[in-house]
Amino acid sequence: RKEVEQDPGPFNVPEGATVAFNCTYSNSASQSFFWYRQDCRKEPKLLMSVYSSGNEDGRFTAQLNRASQYISLLIRDSKLSDSATYLCVVNSYSSASKIIFGSGTRLSIRP
Amino acid sequence: GAGVSQSPSNKVTEKGKDVELRCDPISGHTALYWYRQSLGQGLEFLIYFQGNSAPDKSGLPSDRFSAERTGGSVSTLTIQRTQQEDSAVYLCASSLSGQPTDTQYFGPGTRLTVL
């Protein structure tokens, strides 16, 4: 089983829709969590950190469920510009090698 | 300000040749990471430098891979006797202090193709 697993998608949704995807992790000692966004043939960029209490940044909401060991990303009122691959990142604090990137979920927003 | 830069942006080489990939981190960032991303895959950790500490080399896939960081700034990833399976995008990232909560800032990557 992979340490961090994501549904690869693609998720294909119409503009304006709400879309959500999850990321599961296997290491219960994991301590910090992030969502990065990666556009086609570009480098990853931080979208948002995920806090224990959940956090929101505009149309984006991230949640952490420690009991079930998953994090989620919700995108409301999706825009064409949201089309990208979303990478889940999990860090167990023990070493740099324990910063684990998921393989990503591809999201495509159609007009 | 200037972000992370990498060179070359693309490198095509023949099997068996050595290649050097360069990363210039953000000025003042003490932590530097190298990752490899194969087509359609996630990022694979390779090596981590933090200040003057010994690097974490646990992700290097074979002894053909090595990296150094001179003066706590520029880093070079060297792949000796390249193989076709080395073809990937090599990404470098830096963060302010290597704390687990730090944001990693990525360079644009070097796309390596081994023929």
Side-chain angles (χ1 to χ4, degrees):
Chain A
R1 181 186 172 190
K2 288 183 180 179
E3 291 192 64
V4 175
E5 292 201 66
Q6 296 185 249
D7 182 340
F11 285 66
N12 189 322
V13 303
E15 196 173 6
T18 295
V19 62
F21 28 84
N22 291 341
C23 165
T24 59
Y25 60 94
S26 61
N27 186 351
S28 59
S30 299
Q31 295 294 325
S32 59
F33 309 88
F34 309 87
W35 284 103
Y36 277 71
R37 172 195 168 125
Q38 185 171 27
D39 293 299
C40 188
R41 300 178 77 87
K42 297 287 189 181
E43 71 273 21
K45 293 183 179 178
L46 179 69
L47 177 66
M48 59 197 303
S49 302
V50 185
Y51 303 124
S52 296
S53 55
N55 48 301
E56 187 174 308
D57 182 2
R59 298 180 294 107
F60 299 84
T61 300
Q63 296 280 351
L64 167 63
N65 185 317
R66 287 192 183 274
S68 300
Q69 294 184 201
Y70 74 86
I71 65 172
S72 63
L73 180 67
L74 177 81
I75 306 175
R76 290 183 299 277
D77 187 24
S78 53
K79 312 292 185 189
L80 295 175
S81 57
D82 295 334
S83 297
T85 296
Y86 291 84
L87 305 173
C88 161
V89 183
V90 175
N91 187 344
S92 70
Y93 277 31
S94 59
S95 70
S97 59
K98 290 305 179 185
I99 302 173
I100 308 295
F101 281 75
S103 298
T105 296
R106 277 180 52 206
L107 175 64
S108 178
I109 308 298
R110 63 180 188 270
Chain B
V4 177
S5 61
Q6 293 186 244
S7 62
S9 53
N10 282 283
K11 177 71 177 178
V12 180
T13 191
E14 293 180 349
K15 178 180 172 182
K17 300 284 189 183
D18 297 352
V19 295
E20 281 191 356
L21 313 179
R22 177 187 168 108
C23 172
D24 281 88
I26 292 173
S27 178
H29 280 194
T30 63
L32 187 148
Y33 309 77
W34 281 99
Y35 295 92
R36 177 169 72 174
Q37 188 173 33
S38 300
L39 188 64
Q41 301 298 311
L43 275 67
E44 176 189 2
F45 167 80
L46 297 176
I47 189 169
Y48 165 67
F49 296 91
Q50 170 53 42
N52 296 320
S53 302
D56 179 343
K57 304 179 182 180
S58 58
L60 295 178
S62 78
D63 58 8
R64 296 187 295 105
F65 288 72
S66 63
E68 62 178 22
R69 188 178 185 191
T70 53
S73 181
V74 172
S75 177
T76 302
L77 177 69
T78 301
I79 309 173
Q80 296 178 310
R81 305 180 303 281
T82 51
Q83 304 294 313
Q84 288 183 330
E85 60 263 28
D86 299 334
S87 296
V89 176
Y90 289 81
L91 290 160
C92 172
S94 71
S95 71
L96 185 61
S97 60
Q99 291 297 314
T101 52
D102 283 356
T103 298
Q104 291 190 43
Y105 296 87
F106 284 84
T110 294
R111 185 173 300 276
L112 175 65
T113 303
V114 182
L115 302 177

